Amino acid sequence: MHPLEKSCPRESDPEILKDRIRAIVDSADPAMAAALLMSPVFAESPLMPIAAIRGICSGSTFVERLLPYVPVTEVGDTFHINFKQFRAVNASIQLGANHKELLRVSQKYAPQIKSDVRYTKDKVTIQKIQSKGRYGKKWYLRIQTKTLGRPWIDLDYSRSKAHAKAVKIKKKVAAGFPLENVLKEVAPDSSFLHRLEMEFERKDATRRQNACAPKTGKSHSEVTIMDLILAYQEGAKNRTNGLNEKNARRCVNQLRKVITLGLNLKPPKDKTKKEVEAAEKRAFERPVSDLSPGIVDVFMDTMLGVGDDFDDIDEVEILERSESANSTFRQAKSIFSEKGRRIFRRAGLAFDLPAGFLSVGFLPVTHGIYTLPELDRIEGIFEELRVLLKTDPSHYLARLIALYVNLRPKEIIHLRKDQIKYSGYWRVEIRVRGDFKPKHYHERSIKISAGLAEHILDICRDNGSDYVISGDNRLELFRPFNSHLREKFLPEQRRPSYELRKFYASSSKLAVGLAITHQRMGHNNPSTTEKHYIDKDAPQELVDIYEKYAQELFGGAAFLK
């Protein structure tokens, strides 16, 4: 074994394998890694110990950006990669290549399929599929179809049985029999058959819904905005459309505001149902074609106060008004998003999209940076945990989890005890469940210390609930939570609970790096984490505060790689 490599037990959990890869790369000495690249032993070999890349990238960078395109092969107790493949993919990433381009570059260096994972007889070929550098035990057939492309069909673990099934499938499909019927007869246990049946059921349900959908009988020019709004709100009740009624209602309100201000209509006097319905009738009972760029222009001017006291408004106020106008217009436009168009299609509404209205851009706004509050205020939030532990366990757990696990308020409220798991390491898993979905359906796993995991479970073990935080006021916990933080520590913050996530992100970036921090924050885009949640000048003292109270409260590390 090369001295750069460490002996690790084999694991099947992908997250553990990734952690091992990170540890091997990050613990390697850069000088020794450079020497390894120059070693004549590996000059002609396609494989090289993964520790050799230490001088080129970190372990986290490799796992997050390169692993999908550079398979890792485990030989004995060491990880190896094709260094030529790694170098080509890394160069392509630096040049801004997209996913498909990276796959093509990677495929050039893919090894030839071994004979023990590919079998051909009577012009019918079956093979095993490689995943994460390893071949599975099941045999698959790839077959050309008219409507499904060339899917992989799982057959059997026995090569002889799998090949016999493959021969029958190819003959029957060539004879014109539907693939679904053939698989029901020849390979009824195939997981591909199950996916195929689910897809047919989904399409059939869509056809039935479209058949039952009310047909307006209106021409493109006769469809009104009110027709769209009614269909949009009704469609939001169907979860398959990907919307919920609350968000749909918010978007409708914002479109009403844009039209009302853009056409100088009478706004509602108050929020009573009668006033809102009257305002919507004034705004929406007009053809969709009336939505023009001119409406948006007047709306934007009105929001900014052009023509009134605009010349007397300072730059900060203009930017704040611009932010508000952009937010309103963005939500109004989302009615015509892909989800909205799916609802209109299902409702039988045929109309021309208001292209001019939708093409209007947003007002220029400031691109702010995040800065931490004073460290003494931050430490005060940590210090108060000592008191909360004795006086208010629910408030204590909520603040502790927000600070050390960086969960959002809704994630904390709906955190179940069985989401704190151990499989060689402790982690908190955020998953889609029947009673909860994370933001944007973004699932993630946050690695935590054993001390923190056991501390949380010890406190909530006897609370008589499946949830970490129990009690009748569980769902309203963050009202007093935010009020207290705002009153005592963060008076300028509208949502202090989110400020705690920013404390975590700023200190985590210092402790374990940006890539791991972004992964644990649950953002779709790394720039969100970096621009809005991390103080780029955060001091080491912030990490010291985290570590100090971690040792005092639960006797573990605040951040783990």
Side-chain angles (χ1 to χ4, degrees), residues 170-177:
K170 291 204 74 170
K171 286 182 178 179
K172 288 183 175 290
V173 170
F177 290 95

Side-chain angles (χ1 to χ4, degrees), residues 146-210:
K146 293 182 179 179
T147 58
L148 300 173
R150 297 185 66 220
W152 289 101
I153 302 171
D154 55 307
L155 299 174
D156 207 292
Y157 292 101
S158 165
R159 189 182 74 177
S160 58
K161 292 181 180 179
H163 188 268
K165 291 179 180 179
V167 171
K168 291 180 181 179
I169 291 171
K170 291 204 74 170
K171 286 182 178 179
K172 288 183 175 290
V173 170
F177 290 95
L179 180 58
E180 183 182 11
N181 296 343
V182 174
L183 292 180
K184 286 179 179 178
E185 176 187 344
V186 179
D189 297 328
S190 171
S191 60
F192 177 76
L193 173 61
H194 176 68
R195 294 198 301 272
L196 197 61
E197 290 174 335
M198 293 286 288
E199 180 65 16
F200 277 124
E201 288 179 8
R202 186 188 67 79
K203 290 182 178 180
D204 188 51
T206 301
R207 284 195 295 269
R208 289 198 304 270
Q209 186 171 1
N210 287 340

Side-chain angles (χ1 to χ4, degrees), residues 381-382 385 398-406 500 503-504 546:
I381 293 172
F382 280 84
L385 286 169
R399 188 182 298 188
L400 183 77
I401 293 169
L403 286 168
Y404 283 97
V405 193
N406 89 90
L500 306 191
F503 298 168
Y504 176 95
Y546 264 88

Side-chain angles (χ1 to χ4, degrees), residues 158-373:
S158 165
R159 189 182 74 177
S160 58
K161 292 181 180 179
H163 188 268
K165 291 179 180 179
V167 171
K168 291 180 181 179
I169 291 171
K170 291 204 74 170
K171 286 182 178 179
K172 288 183 175 290
V173 170
F177 290 95
L179 180 58
E180 183 182 11
N181 296 343
V182 174
L183 292 180
K184 286 179 179 178
E185 176 187 344
V186 179
D189 297 328
S190 171
S191 60
F192 177 76
L193 173 61
H194 176 68
R195 294 198 301 272
L196 197 61
E197 290 174 335
M198 293 286 288
E199 180 65 16
F200 277 124
E201 288 179 8
R202 186 188 67 79
K203 290 182 178 180
D204 188 51
T206 301
R207 284 195 295 269
R208 289 198 304 270
Q209 186 171 1
N210 287 340
C212 296
K215 305 301 180 182
T216 64
K218 295 183 178 180
S219 67
H220 284 219
S221 60
E222 292 176 331
V223 175
T224 66
I225 302 171
M226 184 65 81
D227 294 330
L228 300 188
I229 296 307
L230 294 176
Y232 186 73
Q233 294 183 108
E234 187 65 28
K237 299 176 183 178
N238 184 346
R239 293 182 61 185
T240 62
N241 287 323
L243 291 173
N244 63 59
E245 295 180 64
K246 182 178 179 181
N247 288 341
R249 184 64 237 179
R250 184 183 297 118
C251 294
V252 169
N253 290 341
Q254 303 297 45
L255 180 60
R256 184 191 72 226
K257 183 175 181 179
V258 171
I259 297 174
T260 299
L261 295 182
L263 294 177
N264 294 313
L265 302 177
K266 179 183 176 183
K269 296 179 182 178
D270 49 48
K271 294 183 178 181
T272 60
K273 184 177 180 181
K274 182 178 179 180
E275 278 292 317
V276 171
E277 287 179 348
E280 289 186 351
K281 186 175 181 180
R282 292 190 292 270
F284 296 153
E285 286 195 344
R286 63 188 71 250
V288 178
S289 56
D290 279 9
L291 290 174
S292 65
I295 289 179
V296 184
D297 293 340
V298 175
F299 161 75
M300 293 293 189
D301 287 347
T302 305
M303 290 291 287
L304 288 178
V306 174
D308 297 328
D309 59 345
F310 188 73
D311 293 336
D312 299 325
I313 301 174
D314 62 30
E315 191 65 28
V316 174
E317 177 67 17
I318 291 174
L319 290 172
E320 288 178 353
R321 293 185 183 186
S322 297
E323 287 273 14
S324 178
N326 286 349
S327 176
T328 298
F329 185 46
R330 184 178 292 109
Q331 292 180 70
K333 287 195 343 180
S334 69
I335 290 178
F336 299 94
S337 67
E338 182 180 347
K339 294 176 182 178
R341 295 198 298 271
R342 183 190 306 129
I343 290 174
F344 303 145
R345 185 175 64 252
R346 289 182 170 183
L349 292 171
F351 63 97
D352 294 323
L353 284 173
F357 177 86
L358 298 176
S359 66
V360 177
F362 296 103
L363 296 171
V365 295
T366 181
H367 298 286
I369 59 173
Y370 172 68
T371 55
L372 290 162

Side-chain angles (χ1 to χ4, degrees), residues 84-107:
K84 291 182 179 179
Q85 183 184 46
F86 164 80
R87 187 169 54 189
V89 171
N90 189 46
S92 299
I93 289 176
Q94 300 302 321
L95 293 172
N98 60 34
H99 175 65
K100 289 185 178 180
E101 291 168 341
L102 291 173
L103 285 177
R104 282 197 293 269
V105 172
S106 175
Q107 194 61 36

Side-chain angles (χ1 to χ4, degrees), residues 118-127 139-142 152 155 163 166 170:
R118 184 185 181 101
Y119 177 72
T120 301
K121 182 181 179 182
D122 299 331
K123 298 183 179 181
V124 176
T125 299
I126 58 174
Q127 67 183 66
W139 291 91
Y140 287 76
L141 167 69
R142 198 171 193 187
W152 289 101
L155 299 174
H163 188 268
K170 291 204 74 170

Side-chain angles (χ1 to χ4, degrees), residues 1-5 21 24-25 28 30-56 62 70-75 77-87 109:
M1 184 186 303
H2 194 276
L4 288 175
E5 299 286 355
I21 292 172
I24 289 171
V25 176
M32 296 183 70
L36 181 60
L37 291 177
M38 303 298 294
S39 172
V41 176
F42 299 106
E44 302 298 328
S45 173
L47 295 181
M48 180 174 287
I50 196 171
I53 69 174
R54 178 65 182 89
I56 302 174
F62 177 83
V70 183
V72 175
T73 303
E74 192 170 8
V75 181
D77 288 327
T78 65
F79 287 125
H80 289 71
I81 59 170
N82 184 322
F83 186 72
K84 291 182 179 179
Q85 183 184 46
F86 164 80
R87 187 169 54 189
Y109 300 89

